[in-house]
Amino acid sequence: MYDERVIEKIRGIWKTFDLSLGIPEIDKQHLWLIGILADLEDKLESGTRSELEVTFTNALSKTLDYATEHFALEEKLLESIGYSKLGQHRLQHMRFITALRNRVRKSFEGDFENAVLDLLKNLKKWLFRHILSEDRQYVDAAMVHVDDKLTDWMQRHLHASNYADEIEKLYQTVLFSGKQEVSLEFKKLGEENLKLISDLWYRYKLKTGIAIVDIQHLWLLQLLVKTDKLYKQRLKQEIDAESLSVQLKEAIYETIEYIREHFNTEESIMHHFHYIGEKNHQKQHERFNILINDMIERSEKEELESLAILIQDLKDWLVSHIAIEDKKLFYFFRSRLSEVNEYVRNLNKEGKIHIWKDAVSIYKLLVDYEDITEDKRPKSLRRN
C-alpha cells in the first residue's frame, strides 16, 4: 500500500478532476491507474536509481495487467448496454496495449529516466483524455442499462484480479477513510480553481504541445478564474466591498500584464523562428488589446455589469484563440520543439520572461512532465 503522501496526491487528482463515473467497479480500476502514476511520480522525485528501477518495472507490469483486466470489463459492459461507439472504444484500448507492450520490449540502458518520464506521460495522457472524454460518453447509457446480473459479473471479474485486495483497499482509503487530506500542491493552487481550469483545458482541448505556450495559457486561465471569482464576490458583497474592489482591480491588472507578456513571448518565438503566420497572429493579438483597454477603463469606473461581460468575452476569446490559432504554432514547430525550449530557457535566464513555479505546477498536474526551465530530475538520475 502507498504511503500517506502518495495517498494525498491520489486523492487530490481524483477530487480535483472529478474522475468518478459513478460505476464503482470501473472507478476502482481507474483509481488503481492513478495510484500507479502517483507512486511512480513520487519515486521519480524522491527515490534513488535502484528504487526507481524496481518501481518502474512494477508499474509496467501492473499497468499491463490493469489494461487487460480493465478493458475486458469495460468492453463487456459496453457490449451489454449496446453502446454504439464500442468499436472505436475497443480500438483505443488496442492502441494503448500495443504502445505499452512496445515500451516493455525496449531496452532502457542509458536512457532510464526518459523511459520513466515517457511512461508517466502516456499514463497521464490516457488518464485525462480517455477517462474524462471517452469514458464519460457511455455513463448515461450505462446507468440506464446496468442490472444486477451485469453488476454481479463486474464484481466477480474485479475480485479475480491478482491486485483485488490492493485495489479495494486503495478505493476505501481514498474515498471513505476518516482522513481526507490532499497534498500541498492541490491546497496551494486550490482544488476548486484547478477543477475549473482543467474543465476548460480538457473540454476545449487546449494543449498546443509547445511547453512554454501551454504553461502560459494555463496560468492565464488561472488568472481569469481568480478574476471571475473576485468579481462574483464583489457582486454578492460577500466581504468588505472596498477591500474586494482593490483586490479585483489588482487581479485585472495582473491578468492584463500577463496577457501582454504572453503575447510578447509568442511573438518573440514566432519572429525568431520565422513563423509563416506571424503577421496574422500578431494582428489578432492587437485586436485583443482593444478588449484589454476596455477592461481597464471599466474596472476603473467599477461598471460591474459591463466588466462581467468583458471577463467572459476575454475568456471566450482566449479559449477560441488557443483552440484554433495557437495550435497552428505546434504544427509549424513540432520538428523543432527542442530548439524552441532552448530558446525559451535563454529568454528566462535573461529575465525577458517569467515562469512562475505555480504555473509550472499546474502544467505538470494537467499536461506533462517536461520542465523547460531547468533539469528537475533527481540528482541520482542526472548525467554529469
Side-chain angles (χ1 to χ4, degrees):
M1 189 61 177
Y2 305 122
D3 63 32
E4 189 56 40
R5 181 180 63 255
V6 176
I7 292 293
E8 289 177 358
K9 173 97 173 188
I10 296 168
R11 189 178 289 121
I13 293 171
W14 186 260
K15 291 173 66 177
T16 299
F17 305 119
D18 194 21
L19 293 174
S20 174
L21 299 181
I23 305 170
E25 294 73 26
I26 301 291
D27 285 344
K28 287 175 183 179
Q29 291 186 323
H30 286 167
L31 196 62
W32 183 241
L33 177 58
I34 296 169
I36 295 169
L37 184 153
D39 187 53
L40 188 55
E41 184 176 30
D42 183 69
K43 293 294 192 302
L44 179 65
E45 293 172 350
S46 60
T48 64
R49 167 85 183 221
S50 58
E51 288 173 335
L52 190 56
E53 285 184 3
V54 173
T55 305
F56 181 69
T57 302
N58 289 340
L60 271 176
S61 175
K62 286 181 179 180
T63 305
L64 270 172
D65 287 348
Y66 158 87
T68 304
E69 293 175 9
H70 173 61
F71 295 163
L73 186 151
E74 192 172 69
E75 288 170 18
K76 171 72 173 178
L77 168 64
L78 299 183
E79 186 179 339
S80 300
I81 67 175
Y83 185 56
S84 61
K85 295 182 180 179
L86 173 58
Q88 179 183 336
H89 212 86
R90 184 177 278 135
L91 181 61
Q92 291 191 18
H93 289 172
M94 289 170 60
R95 286 173 177 166
F96 184 70
I97 289 176
T98 300
L100 273 178
R101 284 177 177 160
N102 289 339
R103 182 76 273 175
V104 170
R105 293 190 192 105
K106 286 185 179 180
S107 171
F108 303 128
E109 201 61 43
D111 195 24
F112 186 76
E113 60 269 31
N114 286 331
V116 178
L117 288 167
D118 190 49
L119 180 64
L120 278 168
K121 186 187 295 184
N122 281 301
L123 286 178
K124 182 165 279 194
K125 181 179 179 181
W126 176 263
L127 177 69
F128 292 114
R129 179 185 294 174
H130 192 73
I131 298 177
L132 288 173
S133 178
E134 303 300 327
D135 285 355
R136 284 210 181 281
Q137 293 181 27
Y138 69 69
V139 170
D140 289 343
M143 291 302 184
V144 172
H145 292 97
V146 170
D147 54 19
D148 291 342
K149 183 178 178 181
L150 184 55
T151 298
D152 181 62
W153 178 85
M154 287 193 292
Q155 289 175 349
R156 283 189 282 109
H157 183 94
L158 201 59
H159 290 156
S161 169
N162 292 330
Y163 306 107
D165 291 341
E166 293 177 64
I167 291 171
E168 183 63 33
K169 187 175 180 180
L170 179 65
Y171 183 72
Q172 295 296 327
T173 302
V174 170
L175 269 66
F176 304 112
S177 66
K179 188 176 181 181
Q180 288 291 307
E181 288 291 314
V182 298
S183 57
L184 185 61
E185 58 196 322
F186 290 97
K187 289 179 182 176
K188 187 175 180 183
L189 295 168
E191 291 176 56
E192 185 182 350
N193 287 353
L194 279 170
K195 192 169 184 177
L196 291 169
I197 295 164
S198 67
D199 180 57
L200 288 168
W201 188 259
Y202 290 104
R203 190 196 318 167
Y204 297 108
K205 299 177 180 177
L206 299 181
K207 180 180 177 181
T208 67
I210 302 172
I212 182 60
V213 174
D214 286 337
I215 287 172
Q216 291 188 335
H217 285 165
L218 281 163
W219 194 243
L220 279 172
L221 290 177
Q222 181 270 148
L223 290 171
L224 284 168
V225 164
K226 182 175 77 172
T227 302
D228 190 42
K229 189 180 291 185
L230 282 168
Y231 159 76
K232 287 172 181 173
Q233 285 182 300
R234 172 70 178 83
L235 195 64
K236 295 176 183 177
Q237 296 184 327
E238 292 179 345
I239 58 177
D240 177 67
E242 185 177 344
S243 173
L244 194 53
S245 289
V246 172
Q247 291 181 50
L248 179 58
K249 286 178 183 177
E250 287 176 353
I252 289 170
Y253 281 115
E254 184 182 8
T255 303
I256 288 166
E257 286 305 306
Y258 198 77
I259 287 170
R260 287 173 173 157
E261 177 168 325
H262 169 60
F263 285 174
N264 287 336
T265 303
E266 275 191 353
E267 290 169 14
S268 179
I269 293 170
M270 288 188 290
H271 185 71
H272 183 80
F273 291 96
H274 308 292
Y275 176 56
I276 55 175
E278 179 184 356
K279 287 185 179 178
N280 180 58
H281 206 99
Q282 210 165 357
K283 283 180 182 176
Q284 293 198 32
H285 287 174
E286 289 168 2
R287 284 198 289 269
F288 188 65
N289 282 327
I290 297 171
L291 270 179
I292 289 175
N293 292 331
D294 203 5
M295 197 173 183
I296 293 172
E297 185 179 335
R298 294 185 188 282
S299 69
E300 289 292 341
K301 294 178 180 177
E302 298 196 13
E303 297 175 4
L304 291 185
E305 190 173 335
S306 298
L307 188 58
I309 295 170
L310 273 173
I311 291 172
Q312 187 58 49
D313 285 347
L314 194 148
K315 190 188 299 180
D316 291 344
W317 187 94
L318 182 64
V319 166
S320 175
H321 183 71
I322 295 170
I324 299 171
E325 294 302 323
D326 284 350
K327 286 195 176 181
K328 294 177 184 177
L329 296 175
F330 171 74
Y331 294 109
F332 182 82
F333 291 116
R334 59 184 166 183
S335 64
R336 305 180 68 184
L337 290 180
S338 60
E339 293 177 57
V340 173
N341 285 345
E342 184 59 34
Y343 177 66
V344 169
R345 286 190 192 98
N346 291 331
L347 289 179
N348 188 45
K349 286 176 184 176
E350 294 166 7
K352 293 179 180 178
I353 60 171
H354 303 92
I355 304 175
W356 311 119
K357 184 178 179 182
D358 286 347
V360 175
S361 295
I362 295 174
Y363 175 75
K364 290 176 75 175
L365 282 169
L366 293 180
V367 185
D368 214 322
Y369 291 85
E370 176 187 19
D371 189 335
I372 59 169
T373 58
E374 58 181 312
D375 192 345
K376 290 289 185 180
R377 291 172 296 167
K379 289 181 180 178
S380 59
L381 296 181
R382 296 179 193 173
R383 293 188 182 95
N384 294 326

